[in-house]
Amino acid sequence: MSTFTSPSTDGKNGTTNRTMNGTMNATTHGAGNETTRHPRLSGMTWLVWRQHRAAYWTVLAATVLCVAWMIYQRAQMMDFLHAYGFPAKNLDDAGKQFDPYSGAFTSVTTGLTAIPVILGVLLGAPLFAGDLENGTAKLIAAQSVSRNRWLATKLALTGLVVTVTTVTLSAVFAWWWNPIKPHYTDIDWTSREFFNTTGPAPVALSLLSVFGGVLIGVILRRTLAAMVVTLGFTVALQMVWGHFKLSLGDIVTATSKPISPGGMITFPEVPRTAHVIDTSYVSGSGKLFDLTTCTDTLSEEATTSCMKKADIVGGSIDYIPISQMSSMQWFGASTLFALTAGIVAFLFIWGRKRLV
């Protein structure tokens, strides 16, 4: 039961009313300031975050745990390096002493290389496929929000989570690896465990995997089917990337100087951490011969005679120095970013018509 009090001319009542009004105004003003000081998600952004918050928080929490583990492992490695006397002492002579730290690299890089696949299957594929399968897309299409805005918000928020995650992991892992990067030859920097987990490579691979999964989900409109196909797509992407990544660099050829006929064949020195692509003999005219040349002879004299007949005077090594790693990653990543942009554009031009 509500009551109505007529305005009073009594001084006391007037003072009370003015005090209450002032308090309400101050409270409202304070609430407005609090809202300004602490912005919160609202509208479509809030809806998308709430719908996928379990997946987003899982990804972010896993990132924090992985970062903490890498920071701990780096501290352990640096303690060992200081006690060992690195870099004054060659790390290659450490042998089994460095095995625990090398094993830590292996365990972490195995997980990091799987991130694009995991994000593509578990985050990209169900992003719209679930809404299309259970009818949520029709409900949203019936509202005042346009499909373009719905599509843009979902893609932007998901892309932001993926970018923050992969950039953080890439930066921390590079920070962990950098102290021994130019010195430890047992680590192949061209392997997917290291090339795909530092710099822009993991970011580009993850975004293409996720948005490729989104497109697959929009086409198939079934969550489970989209996840299975996306798994195949992300694995194929990793294989193609691994096949072409070495072509991103400029091959450097080092050739030993010609020696006197009958002398020992020597090979040129290359940087310690260089990735050797090919090694061969070279003749006086510059022709290259495989290392199996003259190996079918039965005696040293016959081998020497074979070498003289082929006019082999030295050795040649084709390699890619580790100094090209960053430029190779950026060159390859730019291609992957362009493909990702093409998928996003295709989703807006054609895919939005299927979001009902």
Side-chain angles (χ1 to χ4, degrees):
M1 180 176 180
S2 59
T3 58
F4 175 76
T5 306
S6 60
S8 173
T9 57
D10 183 80
K12 182 178 180 180
N13 290 340
T15 303
T16 302
N17 290 338
R18 286 194 300 272
T19 303
M20 292 177 62
N21 291 336
T23 303
M24 293 177 62
N25 290 336
T27 302
T28 305
H29 183 66
N33 290 341
E34 183 179 356
T35 303
T36 303
R37 289 193 301 268
H38 304 284
R40 296 181 179 180
L41 299 179
S42 60
M44 182 56 66
T45 305
W46 174 85
L47 179 63
V48 171
W49 177 269
R50 183 171 179 82
Q51 182 183 11
H52 301 285
R53 66 187 182 278
Y56 292 154
W57 280 120
T58 299
V59 171
L60 294 175
T63 300
V64 172
L65 291 176
C66 190
V67 166
W69 176 250
M70 287 191 287
I71 292 174
Y72 170 76
Q73 289 296 333
R74 186 185 189 275
Q76 295 293 309
M77 184 187 74
M78 295 306 296
D79 289 342
F80 167 79
L81 293 178
H82 290 313
Y84 178 74
F86 177 82
K89 294 178 64 176
N90 193 334
L91 195 57
D92 293 336
D93 298 332
K96 292 185 178 181
Q97 298 180 59
F98 196 72
D99 285 351
Y101 309 101
S102 178
F105 275 117
T106 302
S107 61
V108 171
T109 53
T110 299
L112 294 181
T113 53
I115 286 178
V117 177
I118 295 173
L119 292 179
V121 173
L122 300 181
L123 192 60
L127 193 66
F128 286 101
D131 294 336
L132 293 169
E133 185 175 12
N134 58 31
T136 304
K138 293 183 179 180
L139 176 63
I140 294 178
Q143 308 303 314
S144 59
V145 178
S146 66
R147 280 178 289 182
N148 277 341
R149 183 181 175 188
W150 179 43
L151 179 63
T153 305
K154 276 207 168 191
L155 294 180
L157 198 55
T158 302
L160 178 62
V161 171
V162 171
T163 301
V164 169
T165 296
T166 50
V167 167
T168 302
L169 292 174
S170 172
V172 175
F173 180 72
W175 173 67
W176 176 18
W177 180 32
N178 276 339
I180 64 169
K181 182 178 179 180
H183 306 281
Y184 193 53
T185 57
D186 286 352
I187 291 179
D188 181 10
W189 61 269
T190 64
S191 65
R192 67 188 184 95
E193 288 81 9
F194 290 87
F195 192 86
N196 294 358
T197 55
T198 56
V203 184
L205 285 170
S206 297
L207 287 176
L208 182 55
S209 298
V210 169
F211 289 132
V214 170
L215 179 59
I216 292 171
V218 171
I219 294 174
L220 297 182
R221 306 171 71 89
R222 293 292 183 271
T223 303
L224 183 59
M227 293 174 72
V228 172
V229 175
T230 300
L231 176 62
F233 165 74
T234 53
V235 171
L237 173 63
Q238 297 270 350
M239 294 176 63
V240 172
W241 170 260
H243 180 74
F244 287 103
K245 67 184 177 184
L246 288 181
S247 63
L248 301 172
D250 295 324
I251 297 177
V252 178
T253 301
T255 305
S256 60
K257 295 180 179 180
I259 58 177
S260 59
M264 181 181 296
I265 301 297
T266 61
F267 287 89
E269 293 185 1
V270 298
R272 286 170 46 81
T273 52
H275 177 74
V276 176
I277 297 177
D278 188 31
T279 304
S280 56
Y281 292 124
V282 61
S283 67
S285 62
K287 184 178 179 180
L288 299 179
F289 292 88
D290 190 83
L291 291 181
T292 59
T293 303
C294 299
T295 56
D296 56 347
T297 57
L298 300 178
S299 64
E300 185 177 348
E301 292 78 8
T303 301
T304 302
S305 177
C306 178
M307 292 281 191
K308 288 182 179 180
K309 186 177 180 179
D311 191 27
I312 295 175
V313 295
S316 175
I317 298 179
D318 293 336
Y319 68 95
I320 301 178
I322 196 173
S323 58
Q324 293 190 23
M325 181 178 181
S326 180
S327 60
M328 290 170 63
Q329 288 176 319
W330 278 106
F331 182 41
S334 63
T335 303
L336 298 180
F337 285 137
L339 292 174
T340 303
I343 290 177
V344 173
F346 186 74
L347 282 169
F348 276 98
I349 296 173
W350 176 85
R352 67 187 180 88
K353 298 178 182 179
R354 298 179 59 88
L355 297 179
V356 289

